[in-house]
């Protein structure tokens, strides 16, 4: 199983594209995780109903066995790391942004925490 950390933006789309390619290459399934801690009224990284339906349609058209998990309330990193601890998990795929070293220091980085915490191989991709 390939785990994809998904956000409804170009970074999440890059992760999804590469995750699908890895799932096909390895002949395995895909688990797409879209999560929010839920502490803001409008979390841009949490897919709304329309975005979620487009995601489901795209995955169904891909022919890859898949599951979409949308979780509210837990720490995003914890949710993704938990999925990668499944015995069938082979890899984590995430989209990353360009950030300055100061930006990483002051604001923290979900991607950085995932890279440091995940015990499976992590493929970090950037959009074209």
């Amino acid at each position: 199983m390939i785990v994809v950390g998904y956000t409804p933006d170009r970074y999440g789309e890059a992760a999804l594209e590469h995750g699908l390619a890895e799932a096909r290459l390895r002949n395995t399934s895909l688990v797409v995780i879209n999560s929010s801690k839920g502490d803001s009224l409008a979390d841009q990284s949490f897919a709304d109903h329309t975005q979620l339906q487009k995601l489901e349609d795209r995955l169904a058209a891909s022919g890859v066995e898949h599951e979409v998990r949308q979780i509210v309330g837990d720490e995003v990193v914890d949710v993704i790391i938990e999925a990668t601890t499944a015995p069938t998990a082979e890899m984590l795929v995430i989209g990353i942004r360009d950030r300055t070293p100061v930006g990483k220091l002051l604001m923290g980085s979900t991607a950085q925490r995932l890279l440091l915490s995940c015990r499976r191989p992590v493929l970090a991709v950037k959009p074209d």
Side-chain angles (χ1 to χ4, degrees):
M1 153 178 81
I2 304 298
V3 178
V4 174
Y6 179 78
T7 53
D9 56 21
R10 62 192 194 112
Y11 306 100
E13 289 299 320
L16 182 63
E17 180 181 320
H18 284 83
L20 280 167
E22 285 293 329
R24 286 185 188 110
L25 179 69
R26 297 165 185 258
N27 195 31
T28 191
S29 62
L30 189 72
V31 172
V32 180
I33 299 176
N34 178 239
S35 184
S36 173
K37 193 170 180 184
D39 56 2
S40 69
L41 294 176
D43 185 348
Q44 296 291 324
S45 62
F46 196 67
D48 65 25
H49 178 73
T50 302
Q51 294 165 327
L52 197 59
Q53 187 59 55
K54 287 180 183 177
L55 172 63
E56 288 280 5
D57 292 346
R58 180 174 177 193
L59 290 169
S62 76
V64 171
E65 183 182 334
H66 65 277
E67 175 186 353
V68 176
R69 299 179 189 170
Q70 195 174 43
I71 301 163
V72 178
D74 294 328
E75 187 69 40
V76 174
V77 172
D78 295 339
V79 170
I80 294 172
I81 292 299
E82 182 180 334
T84 66
T85 63
T88 57
E90 297 179 43
M91 171 185 282
L92 170 62
V93 183
I94 57 172
I96 59 171
R97 295 174 168 79
D98 287 323
R99 295 183 59 190
T100 66
V102 172
K104 290 176 189 171
L105 178 67
L106 295 176
M107 297 173 62
S109 170
T110 299
Q112 184 176 3
R113 290 174 51 212
L114 287 167
L115 286 166
L116 295 172
S117 301
C118 188
R119 298 294 176 226
R120 303 280 190 229
V122 179
L123 176 59
V125 298
K126 293 181 183 178
D128 293 331

